[in-house]
Every structure is written in C-alpha cells, then in structure tokens.
Amino acid sequence: MRTQVGIIGAGPAGLVLSHLLHLQGIESVVLENRSRQYCEERVRAGVLEQGTVDLLCQTGVGERLKREGLVHGGIELRFGGKGHRIDFRELTGGKTITIYGQSEVLKDLTDARLAAGGQVYFEVEDVSVHDFDRTKPKIRFRKAGKVEELTCDFIGGCDGFHGICRPAISKSLTVYEREYPFGCLGILAEAPPSSEELIYAYHERGFALLSMRSPQLSRLYIQSAPDEDIHQWPDERIWKELHTRLESTEGWRLIEGPVMQKGVTGMRSFVVEPMQSGNLFLAGDAAHIVPPTGAKGLNLAVSDVRVLALALAEFYKQGNRDLLNQYSETCLNRVWKVQRFSWWMTSMLHLFPDASPFDQKRQMAELDYVTSSRAGAQTLAENYVGLPMDQPT
Ligand code: FAD
Ligand code: DHB
C-alpha cells in the first residue's frame, strides 16, 4: 500500500486532517484501532469554539452542525449561590460557542470522508511506525488478520494520549506535565438542560458544571478524587451533590433525569516539545492534554491539524518545507496559551485539598474580579470563544 500521508487515529485530529488534505488534493489513509461505533459512542467533548465551527462549515462538513448545534452567547459563573453571566457576544465583538458533541463531529467527518472515497480503516491492529527520519516512512499494521505495510511521505500522529506515535519519538522529546489533585466525575442524563447556557459553579464542596448535548440531554460534572471509584456513586448520590454545589438563591432548579452514562477522568496538563520528528508530526492529544475546564481539547486538536494541512499543502504545491519545519513552533505558541487558560479556569474553580483559608479568600476575590470587571470578564471571554487561529510566520 502507498499513500501521501498516513494518519494514525480517527479522532477529531485524524479525521479533520484527512478531510483538509483531501480538499487540497492530497491523498491520505486513516488507520484506527477501534470500531467506528466505539469512536462515535464515546462521550467526550461538547463545546466548539467559533474558529472550529467556522472551519467545519467553510470546508463543507457543517450542515448538521448548523442545523442541530446550540449556539451560546455566554456562560454563567456561579458562586455564593448567585449567578454572574459572562456575555461573549458583547465582550468579543459578536463571537459565540456552539454545543455539538464530539461524537456528532466524528459522524459527520467519517461520513464525508467515506462519501468522497476516502480510506478510513477501523479495527486495525498492531500499528507501528518505521523510518520516519527517512524520506519514505512506513506504517505496519494488521487488517482482518493480515499484515500490511503502508509506505507514505509523512505520518500524522493523531492517535491521542495513549497512542503509539509519541512513544516512538520519545527520545527526542521534552515533557512538561502537571497532575491535579482531583478528578472529574461526569454524567450524561436524559433530562432537558436546567439552564440555557453552561453553568460553572464554585462551591465549598468542590467544582460543579452544568452542560448539555441537546435540548433533551444534560451533561453534568462534579469535582471528585482523582481515583474516585464510580461504583461508590449511585445516581442519587451524584444528583444530591449536584443539587448542593449548583444551589442558587435565585429560584433556579436543577432538572433530574435517568443517567445514561457516567465515568471519572483524571485531570492533567501535558505538553511535549517539539511536536515533530523527521517526517512524523504529532497533533491533538498525542502531543498535549489540557484539564477539561475550559473545553479546549478538541478545539486544540483541530487548530493543530489546520496548521499541519496548510504546511503539507505548501510542500506538495511548492516543494517548500519551511512551513513543515515551523509546524511545532507555530502550534506550540497556541498550545501554551490554551494550557495557561485551562490551568487558570481549573485553578479558579476547583477546591484544592491543601488550600489554606488565604487561598480560598483569594479564589473568591478572583471570581468576584472576573465577574465584576469588564477587563476580567473579557480575558475569560476571548479565550473561551477561542484565540485567533495562528498564522505561520
Ligand atoms: P482522540 O480523540 O483521542 O483520538 C485518537 C484516536 O486514535 C482514537 O480514536 C483512538 O482510538 C485512536 N488510537 C489510539 N491508539 C491507536 C493505535 N495504536 N492505532 C490506531 N489508532 C489508535 N475537549 C473539549 O474541547 N471539550 C470538552 O468538553 C471535552 N470533554 C472531554 C471529556 C472527556 C471525558 C474526555 C476524555 C475528553 C474530553 N475532551 C474535551 C478532550 C477531547 O475529547 C480530546 O482533546 C479530543 O478527543 C482530542 O482529539 P484527538 O483526535 O487528538 O484524540
Ligand atoms: C463540557 C466539558 C467541560 O469540561 C467544559 O468546560 C465545558 C463543557 C462538556 O462536556 O459539555
């Protein structure tokens, strides 16, 4: 087998990359070790930045997103039982975010790739990368039990945090990492969202978040221990905790419904530098992880591959490697700003186990500042809707 770009992973990074390359007339093959159904049923991200929405719409995969996505012009920060709205439209010159599940993004992209004759292989096994420091990198894998070798010009390492691409180049990487002393317990509930917009709540028992997937589906989170045993959390206990942490003195009510899915994830900030080695390029969670507060993971994956697709197009059209050589630097500029924002939102809204009374007073003052000063609110708003997409220099 032979292609121009071999892509490992059919998550947002891999599929958007394959789609953008196709639009530039560049051929790719996507190799994914899970089934299509598994990828599309996994409950993950739900908030799309304005730039992500624009990119999907402008490249022809935004039809359903435009029809079914919920456009939000702000979020609420809730503390001391009171809500404070951050008005994105007003603070960012009209920008918004859109609620549209990652699973829906993946369905739309997979449909588009297959309809265009794209090669996306699910349930491949034993994927490994070879010769990526030479001109003809190779990817070996098994498909339906048969060993295959894919020769390509470049490899897109879009295989997420637990993939094989980053370990393959680990010798040349520097790792920057922070683990948080808490986790995130999330549920998906068959209940109409209790608020039109997302609510981020700071409470003395810990952080809580009300989000949604559709007018019938709520997505809710509470701060938990990093290794929280989900079996200790029957649905009633989760709802009780949500009621307490989201409580309001303003007559607001939390609507309950059957819990369809629940799970705990650890929280970490993680970056490797550089994001490339020879002809292998890492993108998305394969290169970096942000804590979920701030909803940036999927959006960052999309902005990486946008940079990569432009650089590959420049190479195939002009024979010029400059943009490819700058790929890591261009991406990391945005990655670190998004890391900073995600760390800041997480630190402002979570209860740290070792927080002193001083720390808690400072945290309340920060929330008060962010919600009462236009400058404070604006810095949150411009980061939340998404910083401008980086242009390579
Ligand atoms: P992934 O989506 O992880 O895709 C990588 C793909 O590669 C996977 O399909 C995987 O099966 C495949 N793969 C792995 N190893 C191999 C291999 N050896 N061979 C072949 N294929 C392989 N982000 C947000 O922006 N907003 C949110 O609200 C949000 N909520 C989240 C909630 C949860 C519970 C989790 C876990 C994540 C959340 N994220 C959120 C993060 C977001 O989902 C990720 O940042 C995003 O999926 C990254 O996309 P990716 O394509 O880089 O990686
Ligand atoms: C969602 C998750 C987040 O961590 C966040 O900050 C916003 C939304 C979500 O899953 O909907």
Side-chain angles (χ1 to χ4, degrees):
M1 287 174 80
R2 142 122 212 104
T3 193
Q4 289 175 297
V5 183
I7 299 173
I8 306 180
L15 288 172
V16 173
L17 178 61
S18 177
H19 175 63
L20 295 179
L21 292 176
H22 166 69
L23 297 179
Q24 299 283 348
I26 301 166
E27 190 192 78
S28 66
V29 173
V30 181
L31 302 171
E32 164 64 50
N33 62 1
R34 302 289 192 155
S35 69
R36 179 171 180 183
Q37 188 183 0
Y38 178 90
C39 293
E40 292 178 1
E41 283 179 358
R42 203 160 32 177
V43 184
R44 296 181 78 183
V47 175
L48 306 186
E49 291 176 357
Q50 176 89 55
T52 304
V53 172
D54 292 347
L55 180 124
L56 295 173
C57 291
Q58 284 158 12
T59 60
V61 282
E63 269 310 299
R64 202 159 65 90
L65 162 61
K66 274 189 257 180
R67 229 176 28 244
E68 297 176 16
L70 308 173
V71 178
H72 287 190
I75 54 166
E76 178 182 325
L77 295 189
R78 186 174 287 185
F79 53 97
K82 285 210 176 70
H84 306 261
R85 183 163 189 261
I86 308 285
D87 186 336
F88 294 161
R89 280 200 183 88
E90 202 265 318
L91 291 161
T92 64
K95 291 193 181 151
T96 56
I97 52 156
T98 300
I99 306 298
Y100 192 66
Q102 177 163 333
S103 43
E104 308 311 311
V105 175
L106 293 182
K107 276 180 210 160
D108 296 346
L109 285 162
T110 309
D111 283 346
R113 287 309 299 119
L114 296 178
Q119 302 179 74
V120 184
Y121 299 120
F122 290 94
E123 296 179 82
V124 302
E125 294 171 293
D126 296 337
V127 178
S128 59
V129 289
H130 307 271
D131 299 342
F132 42 83
D133 283 328
R134 307 206 197 120
T135 45
K136 290 288 166 226
K138 290 176 188 60
I139 306 176
R140 291 202 192 107
F141 59 100
R142 274 193 300 130
K143 187 157 84 65
K146 199 167 148 252
V147 177
E148 305 270 3
E149 186 173 271
L150 175 66
T151 305
C152 38
D153 302 329
F154 301 99
I155 297 176
C158 302
D159 50 349
F161 189 66
H162 301 288
I164 51 106
C165 290
R166 192 182 64 251
I169 60 169
S170 61
K171 274 199 215 103
S172 56
L173 302 178
T174 304
V175 176
Y176 300 87
E177 190 171 18
R178 162 178 296 221
E179 294 227 5
Y180 295 86
F182 34 75
C184 179
L185 190 162
I187 62 167
L188 187 69
E190 221 175 300
S194 315
S195 157
E196 273 183 29
E197 295 178 341
L198 271 58
I199 303 174
Y200 285 82
Y202 173 85
H203 189 272
E204 61 195 19
R205 291 180 62 83
F207 171 65
L209 170 63
L210 182 145
S211 180
M212 64 204 70
R213 286 294 175 272
S214 74
Q216 296 80 35
L217 280 179
S218 295
R219 178 86 170 133
L220 297 126
Y221 297 92
I222 49 174
Q223 174 182 349
S224 66
D227 53 355
E228 194 77 60
D229 177 6
I230 195 70
H231 299 107
Q232 302 302 312
W233 286 85
D235 299 352
E236 310 74 59
R237 185 174 172 206
I238 298 176
W239 285 113
K240 187 162 177 281
E241 200 61 38
L242 282 164
H243 277 286
T244 306
R245 297 191 193 184
L246 287 162
E247 76 184 355
S248 161
T249 54
E250 298 167 317
W252 176 87
R253 284 258 154 272
L254 175 64
I255 304 168
E256 293 188 21
V259 174
M260 301 161 68
Q261 187 270 349
K262 60 181 162 183
V264 176
T265 38
M267 287 173 64
R268 58 152 65 86
S269 302
F270 178 95
V271 182
V272 291
E273 293 194 10
M275 288 169 55
Q276 64 197 94
S277 175
N279 289 319
L280 191 158
F281 297 83
L282 300 177
D285 279 14
H288 41 68
I289 293 284
V290 287
T293 338
K296 290 295 172 203
L298 184 159
N299 295 294
L300 203 50
V302 170
S303 68
D304 284 351
V305 295
R306 181 181 160 278
V307 175
L308 185 54
L310 274 175
L312 288 166
E314 176 79 1
F315 172 79
Y316 283 112
K317 288 200 178 113
Q318 315 286 344
N320 181 353
R321 284 194 74 108
D322 290 354
L323 294 186
L324 281 173
N325 294 338
Q326 290 164 31
Y327 167 74
S328 184
E329 202 185 322
T330 307
C331 288
L332 285 166
N333 186 287
R334 184 187 186 82
V335 166
W336 277 111
K337 288 184 187 132
V338 172
Q339 286 288 353
R340 184 208 69 83
F341 176 67
S342 304
W343 160 84
W344 175 70
M345 283 285 280
T346 303
S347 310
M348 178 169 70
L349 288 159
H350 286 73
L351 197 68
F352 283 74
D354 61 351
S356 66
F358 176 91
D359 294 327
Q360 289 187 34
K361 287 278 186 190
R362 184 192 45 74
Q363 222 168 355
M364 288 302 280
E366 183 152 30
L367 284 162
D368 189 17
Y369 171 68
V370 164
T371 51
S372 60
S373 144
R374 183 178 171 83
Q378 198 164 26
T379 188
L380 191 158
E382 84 164 336
N383 281 278
Y384 203 106
V385 299
L387 296 171
M389 289 278 184
D390 290 323
Q391 298 302 327
T393 43

